């Protein structure tokens, strides 16, 4: 019996690596680390140890792992890591409605809730041109609530493909979120899964699927930004799931 050939040195492999920290979070990590060092230097160990844990959490919050984006021009990928908490037909937000936006008819909205333990770097669900970025100041209610889409601080994005199809999505601040950060501007070209912004700290992202498109995720399912396929444009055979 012959033994299988050993892998050659040119065989592609993937190894786990520690996710890098997004530059947006470095100043917060330095502040937390400085406070930790000061408490330790002052011999306040009862405070230094918890602060060291907070420093590690801040570093984990701003982690920005590499994602492998599925390829396909009709795929809508998840813009956020988190839990699918709402799937319902709703009118588009007025900032993205009308002929130059998503229209005025109800569209399926998929809401992804991000806890403070999830990756908070958000990504574009499709490739295209950023046509609209609209920021609205608001409240800081629990982002898991339906009315957060209308009451909370939020930022709308409208991305248009070369064929004119548009997908809208919204970053929504939550109870402890106090800043929506944007990495792109209107008329920028973005790839599917490209980083477009983040929210500090704990929040939600809504995605408005094009007409005639059903979600391929279920309530209670966890999504991975840039990797999980939310929907296939033009396919209305939605997915069903069973939590167990």
């Amino acid at each position: 019996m012959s033994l299988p050939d050993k892998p050659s040195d040119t065989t592609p492999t993937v190894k786990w690596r520690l996710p890098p920290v997004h530059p947006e979070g470095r100043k917060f990590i330095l502040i937390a680390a400085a406070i930790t060092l000061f408490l330790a230097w002052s011999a306040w160990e009862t405070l230094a140890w918890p602060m060291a844990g907070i420093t590690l959490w801040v570093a984990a919050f701003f982690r920005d792992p590499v994602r492998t984006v599925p390829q396909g021009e009709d795929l809508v990928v998840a813009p956020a890591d988190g839990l699918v908490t709402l799937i319902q037909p709703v009118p588009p937000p007025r900032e993205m409605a009308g002929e130059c936006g998503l229209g005025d008819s109800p569209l399926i909205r998929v809401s992804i809730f991000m806890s403070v333990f999830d990756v908070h770097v958000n990504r574009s669900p499709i490739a295209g041109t950023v046509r609209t970025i609209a920021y609205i100041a608001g409240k800081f209610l629990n982002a898991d609530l339906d009315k957060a889409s209308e009451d909370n601080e939020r930022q709308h994005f409208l991305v248009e493909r070369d064929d004119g199809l548009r997908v809208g999505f919204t970053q929504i601040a939550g109870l402890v979120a106090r800043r929506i950060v944007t990495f792109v501007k209107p008329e920028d070209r973005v790839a599917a899964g490209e980083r477009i912004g983040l929210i500090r700290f704990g929040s939600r992202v809504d995605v408005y699927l094009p007409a005639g498109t059903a979600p391929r995720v279920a309530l209670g399912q966890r999504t991975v930004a840039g990797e999980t396929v939310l929907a296939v444009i033009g396919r209305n055979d939605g997915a069903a799931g069973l939590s167990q």
Side-chain angles (χ1 to χ4, degrees), residues 92-161:
R94 63 177 180 274
E95 294 83 6
M96 294 192 291
E99 290 185 8
C100 297
L102 300 177
D104 300 308
S105 300
L107 299 173
I108 297 294
R109 184 183 69 196
V110 179
S111 298
I112 301 170
F113 176 76
M114 297 177 286
S115 76
V116 292
F117 300 105
D118 287 311
V119 173
H120 274 61
V121 175
N122 300 145
R123 297 170 180 258
S124 176
I126 64 167
T129 301
V130 179
R131 295 301 186 197
T132 300
I133 299 178
Y135 171 81
I136 297 95
K139 302 176 182 178
F140 296 95
L141 305 175
N142 185 351
D144 206 16
L145 300 175
D146 182 28
K147 62 180 181 179
S149 295
E150 299 178 356
D151 293 344
N152 280 26
E153 176 178 328
R154 57 203 181 275
Q155 185 157 248
H156 301 295
F157 291 83
L158 184 67
V159 178
E160 182 179 6
R161 296 196 313 187

Side-chain angles (χ1 to χ4, degrees), residues 130-214:
V130 179
R131 295 301 186 197
T132 300
I133 299 178
Y135 171 81
I136 297 95
K139 302 176 182 178
F140 296 95
L141 305 175
N142 185 351
D144 206 16
L145 300 175
D146 182 28
K147 62 180 181 179
S149 295
E150 299 178 356
D151 293 344
N152 280 26
E153 176 178 328
R154 57 203 181 275
Q155 185 157 248
H156 301 295
F157 291 83
L158 184 67
V159 178
E160 182 179 6
R161 296 196 313 187
D162 292 338
D163 63 1
L165 184 135
R166 305 180 186 100
V167 170
F169 57 102
T170 304
Q171 296 174 300
I172 302 173
L175 277 173
V176 293
R178 286 299 183 272
R179 177 78 189 277
I180 297 176
V181 182
T182 307
F183 305 155
V184 296
K185 60 184 182 301
E187 303 308 316
D188 278 356
R189 294 280 300 179
V190 293
E194 182 175 336
R195 298 165 179 83
I196 56 90
L198 63 80
I199 318 175
R200 304 195 301 249
F201 293 85
S203 41
R204 171 176 138 194
V205 177
D206 289 346
V207 182
Y208 296 85
L209 300 179
T213 300

